[in-house]
């Protein structure tokens, strides 16, 4: 299953970039990006998700992205949109626990129903028992980041690690999540 979208033309991206860059600084801030993104419910995109995405594509560590970084961000969001739609089987505009479990399993995660339920509670900002598009992106980024950090210590890949408390805190506090 592939979720990759074709890259739009440079002219199209420049037009979109200029509309999003409201202060004409030549960079897009998290606030500008949040205003430009839609999660399909007419509510603002989750600011935490926007912050994570800016951090992923901000090659200059300025808390904003340049036009050169914007194309990759655009493709990233579009690919996530296609992915989200493919797992939103009932076309409700959100992902429930069962749909999330199917999505995570297809990504290679083998998580218990209890943990998937915990993730839904953690990333469900509205208390509906479902996750919206922007929160789905955040949930997947956080899960990937935590898994990658765990794997650095799981050198024999058996799913178990032994670390002391300060190693754990250093690992968690050092993550960009």
């Amino acid at each position: 299953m592939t979720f990759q979208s074709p890259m739009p033309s440079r002219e199209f991206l420049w037009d979109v970039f200029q509309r999003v860059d409201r202060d004409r600084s030549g960079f897009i801030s998290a606030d500008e990006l949040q205003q430009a993104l839609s999660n399909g419910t007419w509510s603002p995109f989750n600011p935490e998700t926007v912050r994570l995405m800016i951090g992923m594509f901000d090659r200059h560590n300025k808390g904003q992205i340049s036009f050169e970084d914007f194309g990759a961000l655009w493709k990233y969001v579009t690919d996530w949109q296609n992915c989200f739609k493919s797992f939103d089987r009932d076309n409700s505009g959100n992902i429930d626990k069962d749909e999330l479990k199917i999505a995570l399993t297809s990504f290679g995660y083998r998580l218990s129903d209890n943990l998937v339920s915990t993730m839904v509670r953690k990333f469900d900002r509205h208390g509906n028992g479902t996750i919206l598009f922007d929160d789905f992106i955040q949930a997947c980024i956080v899960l990937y980041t935590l898994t990658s950090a765990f794997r650095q210590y799981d050198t024999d890949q058996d799913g178990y690690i032994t670390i002391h408390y300060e190693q754990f805190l250093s690992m968690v506090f050092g993550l960009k999540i």
Side-chain angles (χ1 to χ4, degrees), residues 29-146:
S29 68
D31 287 342
E32 289 171 327
L33 184 60
Q34 181 187 17
Q35 291 173 12
L37 294 173
S38 170
N39 66 14
T41 64
W42 302 104
S43 61
F45 224 70
N46 183 333
E48 188 59 23
T49 305
V50 174
R51 186 190 65 78
L52 283 171
M53 291 190 314
I54 290 280
M56 291 171 67
F57 292 94
D58 173 16
R59 289 185 290 171
H60 306 289
N61 286 327
K62 292 182 170 187
Q64 53 191 2
I65 55 171
S66 66
F67 176 66
E68 288 71 34
D69 303 326
F70 181 68
L73 174 67
W74 178 273
K75 184 171 181 348
Y76 183 79
V77 172
T78 304
D79 289 345
W80 271 116
Q81 218 168 20
N82 293 333
C83 174
F84 181 84
K85 287 176 185 173
S86 76
F87 292 113
D88 179 15
R89 307 226 172 188
D90 59 0
N91 295 315
S92 62
N94 55 54
I95 298 277
D96 65 21
K97 182 181 79 98
D98 295 332
E99 291 166 330
L100 181 61
K101 175 111 179 173
I102 291 167
L104 296 177
T105 300
S106 77
F107 300 157
Y109 295 101
R110 303 288 177 254
L111 305 176
S112 70
D113 288 342
N114 284 340
L115 187 55
V116 174
S117 294
T118 299
M119 286 183 68
V120 170
R121 283 192 304 278
K122 168 81 176 156
F123 295 100
D124 172 16
R125 285 184 294 148
H126 302 291
N128 299 327
T130 59
I131 300 176
L132 297 172
F133 171 57
D134 49 346
D135 300 318
F136 176 71
I137 294 173
Q138 184 184 355
C140 292
I141 291 171
V142 168
L143 180 60
Y144 174 80
T145 303
L146 290 171

Side-chain angles (χ1 to χ4, degrees), residues 139-155:
C140 292
I141 291 171
V142 168
L143 180 60
Y144 174 80
T145 303
L146 290 171
T147 301
S148 295
F150 182 91
R151 285 186 176 153
Q152 288 180 355
Y153 289 96
D154 187 14
T155 54

